[in-house]
Amino acid sequence: MAKSSADDQELRRACEAAIEGTKQSVVMSIRVAKSRGIWGKTHKLGRDMAKPRVLALSVKSKGQKTKAFLRVLKYSTGGVLEGFDNLRSQSVAPPQWTMRNIDDRNRLLLCILNICKDALGHLPKVVGIDVVEMALWAKENTPAVTNQGNMQEGPAASTVTERDLKVTVEKELVSQAEEEDMEALLGTYVMGIGEAEAFSERLKRELLALEAANVHAILESEPLIDEVLQGLDAATNCVDDMDEWLGIFNVKLRHMREDIESIETRNNKLEMQSVNNRALIEELDKLLLGLRVPSEYAACLTGGLFDEARMLQNVEACEWLAGALRSLEVPNLDPIYANMRAVKEKRAELEKLKSTFVRRASEFLRNYFSSLVEFMISDKSYFSQRGQLKRPDHADLRYKCRTYARLLQHLKSLDKNCLGPLRKAYCDSLNLLLRREAREFANELRASTKASRNPTVWLEASAGSGQNVNAADTSTVSEAYAKMLTIFIPLLVDESSFFAHFMCFEVPALVPPGGTANGDKSDDTNDDDLGIMDIDDNDSKAGKNSGELAALNESLQNLLDGIQEDFYAVVDWAYKIDPLRCISMHGITERYLSGQKADAAGFVRLLLGDLESRISMQFSRFVDEACHQIERNERNVRQMGVLSYIPRFATLATRMEQYIQGQSRDLVDQAYTKFVSIMFVTLEKIAQTEPKYADLFLLENYAAFQNSLYDLANVVPTLAKFYHQASEAYEQACTRHISMIIYYQFERLFQFARRIEDLMYTIPPEEIPFQLGLAKMDLRKMLKSSLSGLDKSITAMYKKLQKNMTSEELLPSLWDKCKKEFLDKYESFAQLVAKIYPTETIPTVVEMRDLLASM
């Protein structure tokens, strides 16, 4: 028999701990599984899943009376056993406890029967248990069956013998008559084992007899069932009566509840109506108060002056009017009120006041701006005069304009379209003032600047190079241009910034108040950029708007239109004095341009860009004229090439490098490229028209270019590139010219060698002496005619090299190249002779080298 939980002493002690305080002793404890299904059936969703439970048999003795208890214990949190779980819902099947195996079931039944016999004195009637099976099981498991002890001895267990168990099971559980019937039945079963079919038929008959006996038992219990049914009918009638009464009560309660809800709804509506009436009265009072125009504001809006003394009243009236108009617009005004006749009439009245006030204020401001500028123009002390340069000062102008800055902001809030004519009027007036200031300043600047004029044509053939070297100092010209920019560019930037914020453009501040445009501090203590950022702190949220910026740039173009002509006049004047000053002016403009921001001073950037383009155009004009000098004198330079222009170009390049002051090299490098390219192209054209002397004057011109530009090429990358290009062209021309002289003097010698080299590609070397014209006799004749009087031939070659050469300083290096080239060719010839004509003797290479060295 398998080990049972009934033998677990720890389980028994846990059960005793669970019922501690009841004075009961545990006789037997055994684990079972709990489920809620009907025997032999299962439930869905896992509701019949077994839950661990413990069945405990306990007894309690009180005098001669003994009580037995069957308890069901469950495991709580922490694995502690606790009392029986009550059945809370009658709608579910009652719980069932299933033994884990047949042995546990039989042991529990035996224990219960023994306790009943000891406590009651007789065995209870047992239904549904096969006593034969119980007897057989007890007989087979006698050694493992434990006696739980009698009720007086407590839970101590003792082992019983097979004989005691037999007496207990066979004599106490079964009566004598039943035992005899059972033995007879078992005897018949033993006798029928060999006859399967007869045994089966017999079992069927006995089963039918048992079923008939059960039916008889049911019939005997019919009176009891009738009584139960009568009781159920009576209870059903009572329940029906109660249900009818409950229905009546529910109807009455529902009617009472509906009456209560109706009363509460009416009360809520009355209360809400009262609150709404109070709120409506308050709103109407506020609306009526807002529809009234204060008398002090009505006078300012319909008449009165706009002088400085009354500006505060005008601004307050404008603020009130703007607020009143906003209060009559949705969402500030409830949409319900928007269509009221009184509101519409009041809105129309305020619109008339707005139109009148905006018209009057705009007309006043236009006249005011114009009168301010006319007053300044009429006073000559504001402008530069003969012998005195006057820095423009707009501090007083801005101060007076600033008085009306808040008024402009409120006018914009009332009507944005009114600012257009005002902006144009301000731009036109200020443009007149700026153009007058720039023109007077530029005229006096040119008149007060003393500088000697340098030649505008640096590469003129008639001009000597010494004239270029001793060119006059014209730095005052570029200083005058720089002063023009230093004075007017910050002024224009400040005016652009002031105009942008004074006229309420939604763009960020160009420079902080009191700052300068290019980051340099001015020496003018009166330069007072009043700024507009502090006019209204609430306007600091204005952000960059592309549409506003486009309108601003358009207005700035009108504001600054025509001023560029005075700057152009200074540039043209400087160009006439010294064209090379365009380089320094270009650098000055470039520095100012890099310091400007692409915001409210956008048109100032355009002005600087136009100045830069103007300077580049003038300098390009100078370069083009210099290049045209070379092209116009091409016929005159056919004999000399460009030798006369190279030193003047070197002087010009040296001067140009002096004018570069930390600026980009694009302008100068482009000029270098154009100058050198036109010179090289001219050389190639001459070489094509005079092929006889092409290599000679090419090498002379390229050599002169290298000699003149050597120092500059070490520091100027662009000139270094052309220097290397000239060096390669010089080497190629030298090689061609020297080869021509050598072949001219020793033509038969090297033609003979060339014929041998050509034949070596087709026939073996040993057959060459037998070819026509290449026999040994032909070799001797050729050597005699070519090498006899060798010193005279070499002298003639030297004279040929010297002939027509204008640059005598190149002759030594060319003669060295010529001797080296001749020795290389003669060495190749000697090797051919040694290979083809091994028996013939010719002057050795060493002898030839010594001969050349001695001459």
Side-chain angles (χ1 to χ4, degrees):
M1 182 177 64
K3 185 176 180 180
S4 174
S5 59
D7 300 328
D8 190 349
Q9 297 300 325
E10 294 293 335
L11 180 63
R12 182 172 298 178
R13 283 193 289 270
C15 294
E16 290 177 350
I19 63 175
E20 184 178 3
T22 60
K23 298 181 180 180
Q24 300 176 13
S25 60
V26 178
V27 177
M28 184 180 185
S29 60
I30 189 167
R31 291 189 180 89
V32 296
K34 176 186 176 183
S35 64
R36 289 189 178 273
I38 303 175
W39 293 100
K41 296 183 179 181
T42 58
H43 290 267
K44 296 182 180 178
L45 301 176
R47 294 183 180 179
D48 59 335
M49 296 296 292
K51 299 180 180 179
R53 296 288 188 268
V54 176
L55 290 180
L57 286 172
S58 61
V59 295
K60 181 179 180 182
S61 299
K62 187 175 181 182
Q64 298 297 326
K65 189 177 179 180
T66 301
K67 290 185 178 181
F69 300 91
L70 176 61
R71 295 181 179 274
V72 181
L73 304 178
K74 67 176 182 179
Y75 287 97
S76 63
T77 304
V80 180
L81 290 171
E82 59 183 17
F84 177 75
D85 45 353
N86 295 322
L87 185 62
R88 296 182 179 85
S89 176
Q90 297 298 332
S91 62
V92 298
Q96 300 174 357
W97 296 277
T98 306
M99 294 298 175
R100 296 176 182 268
N101 50 57
I102 195 66
D103 295 331
D104 285 355
R105 187 202 67 177
N106 292 338
R107 292 187 66 172
L108 179 63
L109 287 176
L110 283 177
C111 184
I112 293 174
L113 292 176
N114 285 331
I115 293 174
C116 290
K117 180 180 178 182
D118 293 340
L120 302 177
H122 62 85
L123 292 175
K125 183 178 180 180
V126 180
V127 180
I129 299 298
D130 191 344
V131 294
V132 178
E133 181 183 353
M134 287 284 294
L136 294 176
W137 177 85
K139 185 175 182 180
E140 293 175 356
N141 298 280
T142 296
V145 177
T146 58
N147 186 8
Q148 303 298 327
N150 55 30
M151 295 176 62
Q152 290 80 9
E153 294 173 349
S158 61
T159 304
V160 297
T161 63
E162 181 182 355
R163 182 178 60 80
D164 296 335
L165 186 61
K166 181 177 180 181
V167 173
T168 302
V169 176
E170 294 183 359
K171 294 184 178 181
E172 297 179 1
L173 294 181
V174 185
S175 64
Q176 184 67 27
E178 289 175 344
E179 181 179 356
E180 293 176 356
D181 293 339
M182 188 181 302
E183 290 178 353
L185 181 60
L186 290 175
T188 58
Y189 286 158
V190 172
M191 291 173 63
I193 290 176
E195 300 175 359
E197 295 182 357
F199 181 69
S200 176
E201 291 295 332
R202 183 175 179 179
L203 287 179
K204 290 180 180 179
R205 289 195 301 273
E206 293 177 356
L207 178 60
L208 292 175
L210 289 175
E211 292 177 352
N214 289 335
V215 171
H216 180 70
I218 292 173
L219 293 176
E220 289 180 350
S221 61
E222 182 178 359
L224 181 61
I225 295 173
D226 292 338
E227 293 180 1
V228 172
L229 292 176
Q230 291 176 0
L232 291 175
D233 291 338
T236 302
N237 294 330
C238 292
V239 170
D240 292 339
D241 294 340
M242 294 176 65
D243 184 63
E244 184 177 356
W245 280 104
L246 288 175
I248 294 172
F249 291 152
N250 287 335
V251 171
K252 291 183 177 181
L253 288 174
R254 185 173 68 253
H255 291 166
M256 292 176 63
R257 192 178 298 111
E258 291 176 354
D259 294 339
I260 292 172
E261 290 178 355
S262 176
I263 294 171
E264 290 179 350
T265 301
R266 288 196 297 271
N267 289 339
N268 292 337
K269 289 181 178 179
L270 291 175
E271 183 177 358
M272 183 179 297
Q273 185 176 2
S274 176
V275 173
N276 291 339
N277 289 336
R278 287 197 300 271
L280 179 59
I281 292 173
E282 293 176 358
E283 288 293 327
L284 291 176
D285 290 340
K286 293 179 182 179
L287 184 61
L288 292 175
L289 181 62
L291 295 178
R292 184 179 62 85
V293 181
S295 58
E296 63 274 15
Y297 295 154
C300 294
L301 293 173
T302 57
L305 302 177
F306 285 93
D307 55 358
E308 186 175 353
R310 295 179 54 84
M311 187 50 55
L312 181 61
Q313 292 84 347
N314 289 325
V315 169
E316 290 178 353
C318 189
E319 288 179 352
W320 178 89
L321 180 59
L325 286 172
R326 284 194 300 269
S327 66
L328 295 180
E329 298 293 337
V330 178
N332 298 322
L333 179 67
D334 194 314
I336 298 176
Y337 302 146
N339 295 324
M340 293 177 61
R341 186 179 65 180
V343 173
K344 291 182 179 179
E345 292 176 353
K346 192 62 181 181
R347 187 183 297 114
E349 179 184 355
L350 293 179
E351 288 291 340
K352 292 180 180 179
L353 287 176
K354 182 187 76 171
S355 301
T356 302
F357 182 79
V358 168
R359 177 180 52 79
R360 292 176 55 249
S362 300
E363 183 178 358
F364 167 78
L365 290 175
R366 285 196 300 270
N367 296 332
Y368 182 76
F369 295 151
S370 177
S371 62
L372 276 180
V373 173
E374 288 176 358
F375 173 77
M376 295 181 67
I377 292 177
S378 62
D379 189 353
K380 294 184 178 181
S381 63
Y382 280 100
F383 307 103
S384 298
Q385 301 177 18
R386 188 170 186 82
Q388 180 185 5
L389 282 174
K390 177 71 173 180
R391 176 191 292 268
D393 185 7
H394 293 181
D396 185 60
L397 174 65
R398 295 179 193 169
Y399 178 80
K400 292 179 179 179
C401 290
R402 183 181 178 184
T403 305
Y404 299 93
R406 293 183 65 87
L407 179 61
L408 280 172
Q409 292 175 354
H410 291 299
L411 286 178
K412 179 182 179 181
S413 64
L414 289 175
D415 185 4
K416 288 185 178 181
N417 296 327
C418 74
L419 290 183
L422 288 177
R423 290 168 178 173
K424 186 177 185 304
Y426 183 84
C427 287
D428 293 342
S429 300
L430 190 59
N431 178 260
L432 293 175
L433 178 62
L434 289 173
R435 292 180 63 180
R436 174 72 178 275
E437 290 172 338
R439 182 169 61 255
E440 297 295 340
F441 190 90
N443 292 338
E444 181 57 29
L445 184 66
R446 286 177 289 175
S448 61
T449 302
K450 305 299 181 182
S452 300
R453 177 169 298 187
N454 277 335
T456 58
V457 183
W458 280 79
L459 300 182
E460 184 64 51
S462 61
S465 61
Q467 180 185 3
N468 297 332
V469 174
N470 299 322
D473 182 17
T474 57
S475 59
T476 54
V477 174
S478 56
E479 291 173 359
Y481 175 76
K483 191 169 187 178
M484 183 79 175
L485 293 187
T486 303
I487 296 298
F488 279 93
I489 293 303
L491 175 66
L492 296 180
V493 172
D494 292 343
E495 286 298 335
S496 299
S497 178
F498 183 85
F499 174 76
H501 299 287
F502 178 59
M503 286 298 171
C504 305
F505 285 96
E506 295 180 358
V507 294
L510 177 62
V511 290
T516 57
N518 62 345
D520 298 332
K521 292 185 178 180
S522 174
D523 57 354
D524 186 2
T525 57
N526 295 325
D527 186 9
D528 183 16
D529 185 0
L530 297 177
I532 300 301
M533 296 304 293
D534 56 347
I535 290 178
D536 189 357
D537 295 336
N538 296 327
D539 197 34
S540 60
K541 63 181 180 179
K544 199 166 188 178
N545 184 286
S546 58
E548 284 285 291
L549 191 58
L552 172 61
N553 285 328
E554 183 179 356
S555 298
L556 290 178
Q557 186 172 0
N558 296 330
L559 175 64
L560 306 178
D561 187 28
I563 298 177
Q564 64 271 19
E565 298 299 330
D566 298 302
F567 287 88
Y568 293 163
V570 175
V571 171
D572 298 340
W573 163 75
Y575 170 77
K576 292 177 181 179
I577 294 178
D578 187 359
L580 295 184
R581 281 297 165 185
C582 290
I583 300 174
S584 56
M585 290 191 298
H586 189 275
I588 294 170
T589 310
E590 190 177 66
R591 286 194 297 272
Y592 271 90
L593 190 58
S594 63
Q596 299 303 317
K597 299 178 181 178
D599 44 21
F603 191 73
V604 178
R605 289 178 58 86
L606 294 178
L607 172 62
L608 290 171
D610 292 342
L611 279 176
E612 191 177 41
S613 301
R614 181 79 169 208
I615 294 169
S616 300
M617 181 190 70
Q618 292 286 29
F619 188 70
S620 298
R621 174 185 169 189
F622 162 74
V623 174
D624 292 339
E625 290 178 356
C627 292
H628 292 161
Q629 295 168 24
I630 301 176
E631 294 176 350
R632 286 195 300 268
N633 296 316
E634 181 179 341
R635 296 180 180 179
N636 300 328
V637 301
R638 290 189 183 277
Q639 298 297 326
M640 298 295 295
V642 293
L643 286 176
S644 60
Y645 295 100
I646 291 175
R648 289 197 290 272
F649 169 71
T651 304
L652 177 62
T654 303
R655 187 74 180 273
M656 291 168 66
E657 289 296 322
Q658 294 174 357
Y659 291 161
I660 298 178
Q661 301 174 356
Q663 66 192 73
S664 63
R665 299 190 53 88
D666 294 342
L667 186 67
V668 176
D669 288 343
Q670 291 173 5
Y672 289 158
T673 302
K674 200 162 189 178
F675 280 136
V676 177
S677 298
I678 198 66
M679 285 193 291
F680 286 181
V681 169
T682 301
L683 285 177
E684 295 299 328
K685 288 182 178 179
I686 296 173
Q688 294 176 3
T689 57
E690 298 290 341
K692 184 177 180 180
Y693 303 103
D695 295 328
L696 179 60
F697 73 81
L698 280 178
L699 65 89
E700 286 183 335
N701 280 271
Y702 285 127
F705 183 87
Q706 295 178 77
N707 293 334
S708 300
L709 276 300
Y710 177 77
D711 294 332
L712 285 174
N714 287 327
V715 293
V716 180
T718 303
L719 293 179
K721 179 184 68 174
F722 290 113
Y723 181 88
H724 293 304
Q725 183 178 341
S727 178
E728 294 177 359
Y730 169 76
E731 293 295 335
Q732 294 172 4
C734 285
T735 302
R736 293 194 301 268
H737 187 59
I738 290 172
S739 298
M740 183 270 296
I741 293 176
I742 292 174
Y743 277 110
Y744 178 80
Q745 196 65 36
F746 298 94
E747 182 178 6
R748 293 189 61 188
L749 178 68
F750 295 112
Q751 280 186 354
F752 193 86
R754 187 177 299 169
R755 291 179 61 192
I756 294 175
E757 290 176 349
D758 293 340
L759 288 174
M760 289 180 68
Y761 289 107
T762 58
I763 61 176
E766 59 271 11
E767 296 181 5
I768 292 178
F770 302 100
Q771 299 299 319
L772 181 62
L774 296 177
K776 292 181 179 180
M777 185 60 68
D778 297 327
L779 175 64
R780 296 189 189 104
K781 290 180 180 180
M782 184 273 299
L783 290 174
K784 184 177 180 180
S785 62
S786 298
L787 298 182
S788 60
L790 185 60
D791 53 349
K792 294 181 180 181
S793 299
I794 294 176
T795 302
M797 186 170 60
Y798 178 79
K799 291 180 179 180
K800 180 73 172 176
L801 183 64
Q802 188 181 17
K803 185 179 179 181
N804 297 326
M805 181 172 289
T806 58
S807 303
E808 294 292 337
E809 65 275 6
L810 298 178
L811 186 59
S813 61
L814 285 176
W815 177 240
D816 291 337
K817 290 178 179 292
C818 185
K819 290 190 292 184
K820 184 178 180 301
E821 185 71 16
F822 175 75
L823 284 175
D824 292 341
K825 294 181 180 296
Y826 185 78
E827 185 177 1
S828 300
F829 171 73
Q831 292 175 358
L832 285 175
V833 172
K835 186 176 182 180
I836 306 301
Y837 310 97
T839 59
E840 297 296 322
T841 59
I842 62 173
T844 63
V845 177
V846 176
E847 293 174 350
M848 192 66 68
R849 184 181 293 111
D850 294 340
L851 177 61
L852 290 173
S854 64
M855 296 183 65

